[in-house]
Amino acid sequence: MSVYGPVVKIHPVVLASIADSYERRNEGASRVIGTLLGTIDKHTVEVTNCFSVPHNESEDEVAVDMEFAKNMYELHKKVSPSEVIIGWYATGYDITEHSVLIHEYYSREAQNPIHLTVDTALQSGKMNIRAYVSAQMGVPGKTVGVMFTPLTVKYIYYDTERIGVDLLQRTRASPNRTNGLTSDLEQVGAAAARVQDMLATVLTYIEDVLSGKVMADNSVGRFLTDLVNKVPKISAEDFETMLNSNINDLLMVTYLANLTQAQISLNEKLVVL
């Protein structure tokens, strides 16, 4: 359930970092918290990075190492100046009373910060990920409380992150939950197979439209037109010549790299002698 508000877009590296922090938590700690970094747009909040913040929590009080959080943020700004503090995260399924106190601190660091909860303990049978934004409630001049309103959460990734996500997906089918990295040639073959499957799906759709089995969709037609227009017009002979030329260049670079590596290894052995 979500209400009107910014859409929270989370990158896979953020979730992996949170899960890793939870696995490395101190003995006796029930949850971990940390700072969320990213960018803010008019209608979206994109979470691209995060770091954990040490804290001690009991039934009566909570203590957060604010100095550590400030130093870590200063270091992150040197690497990624565009990333700003957009909120904080906590592992667990529910929002606790201490969450209100921690949220007050981040309200001084960011305007209307978001609060992200990640159910790393899988209390509901899966890793529920929820985002909230706070709003004050109560009678003016009297007791004022804080209400956390849920936001819409979406998952996005860069092309480089897609490789890691695909690798993690393949471990689900492995008996020991492990899987090695594929070679470049295997990645090219897998990509070619995916393209072939997508082309087969497109051809099946076109044939069904032409035969009257499926009603034509104008939006799909526009996408297909753009796709066809982006394909370069080149003859088969010119394409084969260009491909062979690139392959020869690649083989030459590989040969020179192996030759250089062999010369370095030989030089090291001669120096030892």
Side-chain angles (χ1 to χ4, degrees), residues 106-210:
Y106 281 96
S107 297
R108 297 192 295 267
E109 299 294 327
Q111 184 179 4
N112 201 16
I114 64 171
H115 175 38
L116 188 71
T117 60
V118 181
D119 183 15
T120 50
L122 308 180
Q123 297 180 17
S124 60
K126 63 179 181 178
M127 184 181 289
N128 276 326
I129 301 170
R130 299 178 180 178
Y132 302 90
V133 66
S134 65
Q136 290 188 349
M137 58 177 295
V139 180
K142 302 292 183 179
T143 303
V144 178
V146 176
M147 178 180 64
F148 285 90
T149 305
L151 300 174
T152 302
V153 177
K154 293 184 178 181
Y155 308 102
I156 60 175
Y157 49 80
Y158 300 124
D159 292 338
T160 52
E161 293 176 325
R162 175 65 183 270
I163 299 175
V165 173
D166 291 342
L167 180 61
L168 291 175
Q169 289 288 339
R170 289 198 297 271
T171 59
R172 298 173 59 185
S174 178
N176 55 359
R177 294 289 183 175
T178 59
N179 203 333
L181 294 174
T182 57
S183 63
D184 295 339
L185 184 59
E186 290 175 342
Q187 292 182 9
V188 172
R194 288 196 298 268
V195 172
Q196 187 175 7
D197 292 340
M198 289 186 288
L199 288 175
T201 303
V202 171
L203 291 175
T204 302
Y205 171 78
I206 294 174
E207 292 175 355
D208 291 342
V209 171
L210 294 176

Side-chain angles (χ1 to χ4, degrees), residues 37-74:
L37 303 175
T39 56
I40 301 175
D41 201 354
K42 187 175 182 180
H43 300 293
T44 60
V45 176
E46 186 171 347
V47 188
T48 56
N49 210 337
C50 69
F51 60 86
S52 61
V53 177
H55 83 295
N56 293 320
E57 196 170 0
S58 63
E59 295 182 0
D60 301 329
E61 60 181 4
V62 58
V64 182
D65 192 344
M66 305 300 185
E67 191 65 26
F68 177 88
K70 292 180 180 179
N71 293 336
M72 284 294 295
Y73 177 56
E74 292 298 327

Side-chain angles (χ1 to χ4, degrees), residues 242-262:
M242 181 179 63
L243 179 62
N244 291 333
S245 177
N246 290 333
I247 291 177
N248 291 334
D249 294 340
L250 177 61
L251 293 176
M252 178 59 69
V253 171
T254 304
Y255 170 74
L256 292 176
N258 293 333
L259 181 62
T260 303
Q261 185 177 5

Side-chain angles (χ1 to χ4, degrees), residues 25-38:
R25 69 189 185 279
N26 295 330
E27 185 177 357
S30 59
R31 66 172 184 168
V32 296
I33 67 171
T35 301
L36 297 175
L37 303 175

Side-chain angles (χ1 to χ4, degrees), residues 227-248:
L227 177 63
V228 172
N229 292 333
K230 290 180 181 179
V231 177
K233 296 181 180 179
I234 183 173
S235 62
E237 293 77 9
D238 293 339
F239 178 78
E240 185 176 359
T241 301
M242 181 179 63
L243 179 62
N244 291 333
S245 177
N246 290 333
I247 291 177
N248 291 334

Side-chain angles (χ1 to χ4, degrees), residues 72-125:
M72 284 294 295
Y73 177 56
E74 292 298 327
L75 292 175
H76 273 276
K77 283 202 303 184
K78 295 180 180 180
V79 178
S80 301
S82 60
E83 292 181 346
V84 298
I85 296 177
I86 58 176
W88 66 289
Y89 72 82
T91 58
Y93 186 74
D94 297 321
I95 297 177
T96 65
E97 296 179 358
H98 296 158
S99 298
V100 178
L101 300 176
I102 301 173
H103 198 79
E104 289 181 359
Y105 162 73
Y106 281 96
S107 297
R108 297 192 295 267
E109 299 294 327
Q111 184 179 4
N112 201 16
I114 64 171
H115 175 38
L116 188 71
T117 60
V118 181
D119 183 15
T120 50
L122 308 180
Q123 297 180 17
S124 60

